Amino acid sequence: MQAVRESYADIGLMRERGLSWAEISDVLAKLGVTARDNQPISPVTLRSAFFLVGNEGRDGGVDGEDPGGTTPRETLDAVHRAALAAGQPADDEDAAPAPEPAEPDMVEGATDGPRESAVPEPELPSAPEPDPVPEPAPAATEPGGPAVEPVPVPETPSIQAPAPQAENFRAPAPHVSTPQDSTTNRPWKGDRMLGTIFVLNDRGGVGKTLLSHHLMATAMLEGLQLKVVEYEVNERLNRLFGPEVVEHRRITQDFMNMMGSGDGFYEFWDQIGPELQRGGRLFDFGGNISQWFFNWAEVSGFDYYVGEGERLTFMVPVTVDLASLSTGMNTLERIATIAPKAKRVLVENGFSGPFSQLDDSQYARRKAEMVEREGVEVISMAPCTAPAWARLTGHRIDEVAQMTREDLVKLGMTPPVASRSLIIIHEWLRTMRQALSPYLRDAFNQSAGPAAKTGARQGAL
């Protein structure tokens, strides 16, 4: 992190001149800037650290005045020279095509990209050690030098003309970011990350899997893409949708015994960090799992990955069961400690009874206070009362939404029962889809499609 802070401007210059994060990582590794284990800094870590340092600068932090610098000055000078030479091959080919026939070997070296040109640069100033920076000045008198000396020529345009070529270097920037936007799920919009949705409550049997199922079905019906990670003892969503859609991370008894102690516990959760940076994911936490997630987040620098949680949405389902209400409210309060700006949604699952019976309870008063003062949102998840619903256990909701009366008759229902069931099921799914769609579109920076802007979305189910 300190090395990135000290070389922040040079890394930014390399990005402007077209180097990918992987190429910058290779250049830094060859110059001696590595991770703690002397391995190259991973592109994801390098990018995260770069953006974090940039945010420090925007928040008023001082990037260049850290007295505790650990990177040797000669290494920083080498990184600076590598940054200056990074965009040079394109300049030589576009602006000065005349020297190409004179130095054909130089063209071959340039085609290897900035990585090759960055390695020999630190050795050039080592001969005149006292003043490495003025070295390019004699290169301007290249006609008087021997045939081997034109090696410093690449530095001449990059050092003498950074100001007039600044406009030229800004132009390729959109072309550099375009490939990043075209990756799977289009996770990045410039330097902003897509959102992440969590479904959690340590109490079992409150409808977490059903809520995640609704979210997945709504995303599929509206053409949104998301990756789902299921933390459960048994495969549920993974069994319904398949491993290509849902990644199941099994929670075993041995893992439960390990929870809260040792590095193995933290390493299990550390993999969430980069996933939060990319966004576009739905995390489904089974019972008694979210408490361990909070324990990890509180001591592992959760804000390093998500800031104050502006792009996170936490959905907490509860039933009228007192234990469910208690753990649900505690979960909402704990979310505020690790992600104060995250969106918190209380989902009232009416499976065990109507919430109207709690209008005068302590839960109702606490809920009203959280809604008014803390911005907590509340949505309802009513149970499906269709006669055929019990026969549809094990079916995907997005498939149920497209079933016909004949499909239900094949499952053993009479045509009249199948007809009444379809009306109830479609209305139930339409209500849930309308409640969940705004959160999905907001999390993934997606605007409503044409169907949502017209009446077509109402009849899509």
Side-chain angles (χ1 to χ4, degrees):
M1 184 67 177
Q2 181 62 30
V4 173
R5 183 178 290 109
E6 294 172 341
S7 303
Y8 177 80
D10 295 322
I11 295 175
L13 183 58
M14 293 184 195
R15 287 292 295 162
E16 285 185 1
R17 299 192 175 188
L19 270 69
S20 66
W21 292 111
E23 291 172 333
I24 296 176
S25 175
D26 291 342
V27 170
L28 295 178
K30 292 177 181 179
L31 298 179
V33 181
T34 59
R36 294 182 179 178
D37 54 358
N38 293 326
Q39 295 296 321
I41 304 174
S42 70
V44 172
T45 302
L46 180 61
R47 177 176 60 184
S48 303
F50 179 80
F51 290 143
L52 185 61
V53 172
N55 290 333
E56 291 175 355
R58 287 191 290 271
D59 294 339
V62 181
D63 293 332
E65 298 181 5
D66 192 343
T70 58
T71 307
R73 171 51 54 185
E74 55 271 16
T75 301
L76 296 178
D77 291 341
V79 172
H80 179 63
R81 287 191 295 274
L84 291 176
Q88 179 184 319
D91 293 341
D92 287 346
E93 293 174 2
D94 297 339
E100 289 183 1
E103 282 292 331
D105 294 336
M106 288 289 291
V107 178
E108 292 181 9
T111 56
D112 292 338
R115 254 182 286 184
E116 293 296 330
S117 60
V119 179
E121 289 298 334
E123 300 178 1
L124 294 176
S126 60
E129 182 86 23
D131 48 351
V133 177
E135 177 65 19
T141 62
E142 178 212 353
V148 183
E149 286 302 317
V151 177
V153 170
E155 293 182 325
T156 304
S158 59
I159 295 179
Q160 293 182 350
Q165 294 182 1
E167 296 297 326
N168 296 334
F169 291 145
R170 288 179 193 144
H175 303 289
V176 174
S177 61
T178 300
Q180 296 177 357
D181 293 340
S182 61
T183 55
T184 303
N185 290 338
R186 301 188 64 195
W188 286 89
K189 304 286 184 181
D191 294 341
R192 293 173 55 194
M193 56 184 175
L194 289 181
T196 300
I197 297 179
F198 293 86
V199 176
L200 68 172
N201 185 340
D202 271 336
R203 183 69 175 176
V206 298
K208 293 186 294 292
T209 301
L210 178 60
L211 176 58
S212 298
H213 195 168
H214 271 295
L215 287 166
M216 295 179 63
T218 300
M220 291 180 176
L221 291 171
E222 298 207 357
L224 302 177
Q225 294 183 354
L226 74 161
K227 296 181 179 179
V228 183
V229 181
E230 179 183 34
Y231 287 87
E232 269 285 2
V233 176
N234 299 314
E235 300 176 355
R236 296 184 179 181
L237 297 174
N238 177 277
R239 185 172 60 250
L240 276 176
F241 290 89
E244 66 279 358
V245 178
V246 179
E247 178 186 354
H248 177 238
R249 295 176 183 172
R250 180 173 284 104
I251 305 300
T252 63
Q253 186 59 47
D254 291 339
F255 176 79
M256 297 295 292
N257 295 336
M258 181 186 70
M259 283 293 193
S261 61
D263 288 339
F265 161 74
Y266 294 113
E267 290 174 359
F268 175 84
W269 291 104
D270 282 345
Q271 61 184 318
I272 280 189
E275 294 172 343
L276 292 176
Q277 288 180 310
R278 290 191 62 81
R281 281 170 170 77
L282 167 65
F283 289 99
D284 177 79
F285 289 162
N288 298 318
I289 301 300
S290 59
Q291 59 176 318
W292 307 118
F293 165 74
F294 285 121
N295 291 346
W296 167 83
E298 289 168 352
V299 300
S300 300
F302 193 63
D303 59 327
Y304 173 80
Y305 299 107
V306 301
E308 294 186 290
E310 297 89 342
R311 299 300 301 161
L312 301 183
T313 300
F314 291 85
M315 291 189 164
V316 183
V318 295
T319 63
V320 294
D321 175 67
L322 292 180
S324 162
L325 297 174
S326 176
T327 57
M329 302 306 279
N330 290 337
T331 298
L332 289 171
E333 294 173 353
R334 203 165 182 184
I335 292 169
T337 63
I338 65 169
K341 293 187 178 180
K343 184 174 295 184
R344 293 178 290 165
V345 184
L346 180 65
V347 183
E348 294 183 335
N349 182 6
F351 174 79
S352 301
F355 278 78
S356 57
Q357 60 183 296
L358 302 176
D359 286 345
D360 297 329
S361 65
Q362 181 180 358
Y363 160 77
R365 291 188 292 271
R366 176 62 180 135
K367 178 182 73 172
E369 180 182 357
M370 297 179 78
V371 169
E372 180 179 357
R373 298 184 180 181
E374 303 177 22
V376 172
E377 302 178 20
V378 181
I379 62 175
S380 297
M381 186 167 65
C384 183
T385 59
W389 183 246
R391 294 177 180 264
L392 295 175
T393 303
H395 288 76
R396 289 167 44 169
I397 290 180
D398 58 314
E399 296 175 347
V400 172
Q402 302 180 32
M403 282 186 174
T404 64
R405 179 176 58 189
E406 288 70 23
D407 294 328
L408 297 184
V409 169
K410 292 178 181 178
L411 296 177
M413 282 164 272
T414 64
V417 172
S419 298
R420 292 193 297 270
S421 295
L422 281 180
I423 296 175
I424 298 174
I425 291 173
H426 285 176
E427 181 62 29
W428 177 64
L429 293 178
R430 183 182 298 112
T431 301
M432 286 304 303
R433 181 176 176 181
Q434 291 175 342
L436 298 177
S437 292
Y439 297 103
L440 288 166
R441 291 196 301 267
D442 179 71
F444 304 141
N445 279 344
Q446 301 271 1
S447 59
K453 296 179 181 178
T454 66
R457 187 170 73 90
Q458 302 296 327
L461 294 176

